[in-house]
Amino acid sequence: MSTHTSDIKWLFEPRTVAVIGASHDPNKIGYKIVQNIVANGYAGKVFPINPKGGEILGLRVYPSVHDIPDEIDVALIVVPAKAVFQTVQECAAHRVKFLPIISSGFSEVGNLEEERKIVTYAREHGMRVLGPNIFGLYSVTPSLNASFGPRDIPKGNVAIVTQSGALGVAMIGKAAAERMGLSAIISVGNKADIDEADLLEYLVPHPQTRVILIYIEGVKNGARLVRVLKRASKEKPVIVIKAGRSKRGAIAAASHTGSLAGATEVFDAIMRQCGVLRAESIQEAFDWCKFFATSVLPQGAETVIITNGGGIGVIATDACEKYSVELYDDLQILEKIFSPVTPEFGSTKNPIDLTGQATAEHYNRALEAARHSAAIHSVLALYCETALFDVASFEPMIEGNFRAFQETGKPVVFSALGGEKVEQLTETLRRRGVPIFADVTEAVSCLGALYAHYHYRSKPEEVSQSFEIDTKALKRVLEAARREHRAFLLAHEAQQLLRIARIPVPKSAIARTLDEAVRYADEIGYPVVLKVVSRDILHKSDVGGVALDLDNPQEVADAYGAILHNCRAYKPDAVIDGIEVSQQVSPGTQIIIGARRDPSFGPILMVGLGGIYVEVMKDVSFRALPISRQDAIDMLKELKSYPLLLGVRGEEKRDIDTVIDVLLRVGSLLLASEQISDIEINPLIVYEHGRGGVAVDARVLLA
Ligand code: ACO
């Protein structure tokens, strides 16, 4: 493969741009793109290409790429799908770096083959493809608007990456209407080559970008995306809107972009793991973006609410709980800070209630007090309109305090609820970049997003933990299954696999004679369980192939004979490999642990409340592998049934260390061999703290 493609910087900051399919017809996309490039004042060189030659908007039109004297960093392709491949071939001869393909008509309509052919060819010739099926890109650094979206894109520090072109174009319009400045907006379309992870490589270190918004429908190379997102979220807030959450939505997304949407639970959990902020709606995402674009990061977690109304204070308090915003609750210190500035009948407990008689001056003094207190790290200032409201004093008070808080390095968010005058005030201030909302929940949601980002950044860097697996022994087990063309392991093989990973399993041995069975039972200790081992008998209990609660040699001997008799009666020609004698496990808390290769994210790990109700309760949590020990702890804490492990109603705490250990070992096992596609332990029986646990049943599927 040729390697003349340089880094992703040249896609965003090209020195030269060619538009292949530039049209003389002002109604065509190929004209609009040239028009946008020119109108936006792009500083580099532009080369419209069209076999007819001539001029477009004063620019010389070249009949072909071959006629261009310069090296081309970006060649936008705006010709019908059937002509794209030939164009790409011409670009290869001219050593173009990046090929944004605007044209539709590829995998999104089932034409996967043509898309693959183009990308393979491009990559073989050192070129990278953006799209196809995109609206283009906008990038502030060279002032390049190479899109057929709106002409006036407000400059700023929000970068948007979008899988949907139409939505992207609409978001440009919305950004302009809401005065949200953009540092870049780029559409990835069918993501045949360049994907979100590639673009983040540029946007994360990009100085003008303070916040990144991604609209995503389906994930393709999830394992890489996870690695990039984890790093990105440490640097700047990354907000994701994921479409295709509902079953219907997922089908629509699949047919829309030709890529399948990942399962919601897995996606949610992995985004959380990566520190990514998941917005519920475009409006919420925009609110967060605007807030992040101006807000400073807090220095700590303590928030106070300052209000003139009890009701709105309560709503805000509820919202703080929902969005994990911590309210400062040291009553003595609160009183010390706020009693000098709180009117009679007010409250200095958090929320600080300045009462219905509060004027702009009261707010001013309370906000000043909060700003100067080292105990308080952020403020929510709420206002309900009263007869004392006047725009002339509130407007400068709010804006002045916002700027002062910014300088101090403390976040503040405002909410004002009332009639027309209050709405006008809110609108005016928002246009000036002041974070103020009519709805108090929206205000808290912004602060919640800021804190989620703050907490992720503050988390110490975790090293992923893995256990060494004896790969030779592992191979031997897997090869036995391969030889018999099985895509699964037999029960005793699965158990062997767990033993290799040093996961505790019940003591067991396979007996081939009655004497052996009795001897093994004596060695293991009573009570024991006997189970037939036969690939011809899948549902052992149903045919009388299992015997439980065997307390002495006589019972073992009787059960041995009965099992053989039952199995022969069921299937006279069944191959019986032996009878497994195993320790009868005493009851405990049942946990399920699974690891599998997710089609979007690669190796993932799952833990949950186990047993037969797993499907009904769906109380599980996921992570992308590899994980750290802390991740394993967090996974358990996410479970609704976590209190069961801590012990409820006087029960003793369970052996949580064993669960964590098994979780990490199952992860290591999956990562140790590409041949394993699924491992599931259900149940892992967990005993009281210090007494360990045991994996009673395991299922292993092979790739
Ligand atoms: N090299 C250079 N120029 C060429 C070549 C070539 N090999 N082949 C054709 N051209 C010229 C044509 O002569 C024409 O110029 P002209 O108007 O001067 O004659 C120009 O390129 C365009 O070709 P047309 O055949 O006129 O195609 P048209 O402009 O109608 O459509 C387009 C091309 C826009 C790529 C179309 O095929 C398409 O895919 N449209 C959908 C685009 C889209 O929606 N993308 C997703 C965006 S996301 C969203 O939804 C907003």
Side-chain angles (χ1 to χ4, degrees), residues 299-550:
Q299 301 296 316
E302 306 293 354
T303 301
V304 293
I305 299 172
I306 297 173
T307 179
N308 68 336
I312 203 84
V314 176
I315 296 177
T317 306
D318 289 349
C320 283
E321 195 173 300
K322 178 178 169 192
Y323 291 100
S324 303
V325 174
E326 286 173 37
L327 292 180
Y328 186 51
D329 60 2
D330 188 322
L331 296 183
Q332 272 180 338
I333 294 183
L334 281 167
E335 194 189 343
K336 211 164 133 200
I337 302 168
F338 291 106
S339 65
V341 298
T342 306
E344 210 182 341
F345 311 120
S347 167
T348 62
K349 292 176 188 146
N350 198 2
I352 314 300
D353 190 348
L354 301 179
T355 78
Q357 59 176 303
T359 59
E361 188 44 34
H362 285 106
Y363 272 93
N364 224 353
R365 290 168 59 203
L367 284 163
E368 279 275 287
R371 187 162 66 84
H372 288 123
S373 160
I376 296 167
H377 305 117
S378 59
V379 174
L380 270 164
L382 319 177
Y383 181 70
C384 284
E385 186 178 7
T386 69
L388 302 175
F389 174 73
D390 79 303
V391 177
S393 60
F394 269 83
E395 196 179 300
M397 181 278 288
I398 293 173
E399 188 163 4
N401 275 291
F402 169 61
R403 309 272 173 232
F405 267 74
Q406 262 183 322
E407 271 167 35
T408 311
K410 260 185 210 187
V412 61
V413 197
F414 298 89
S415 168
L417 185 67
E420 220 168 290
K421 274 199 258 169
V422 170
E423 274 180 14
Q424 275 165 11
L425 166 91
T426 308
E427 193 48 38
T428 314
L429 288 171
R430 289 194 74 161
R431 284 176 180 275
R432 287 199 220 128
V434 178
I436 179 164
F437 299 85
D439 185 40
V440 63
T441 311
E442 287 168 9
V444 181
S445 134
C446 284
L447 203 57
L450 185 69
Y451 268 117
H453 178 58
Y454 164 78
H455 288 305
Y456 180 79
R457 279 172 72 119
S458 319
K459 251 178 45 173
E461 207 74 57
E462 298 283 343
V463 262
S464 55
Q465 190 171 351
S466 66
F467 290 95
E468 209 156 315
I469 304 285
D470 178 349
T471 43
K472 269 195 195 144
L474 184 65
K475 239 182 172 170
R476 274 198 297 275
V477 178
L478 299 177
E479 260 162 26
R482 284 249 162 263
R483 270 199 303 275
E484 294 172 17
H485 306 291
R486 270 185 284 124
F488 60 93
L489 296 190
L490 296 171
H492 68 279
E493 292 169 334
Q495 221 175 52
Q496 239 173 306
L497 212 69
L498 300 192
R499 279 202 190 94
I500 291 169
R502 296 180 191 281
I503 293 167
V505 293
K507 284 184 223 156
S508 72
I510 295 173
R512 301 218 155 59
T513 64
L514 175 59
D515 284 349
E516 264 182 15
V518 174
R519 181 153 53 81
Y520 292 151
D522 284 340
E523 280 166 19
I524 288 167
Y526 297 94
V528 294
V529 177
L530 296 198
K531 269 186 234 169
V532 66
V533 181
S534 167
R535 69 213 59 202
D536 297 320
I537 301 171
L538 281 182
H539 303 288
K540 302 178 181 64
S541 332
D542 296 355
V543 302
V546 179
L548 307 172
D549 291 320
L550 309 173

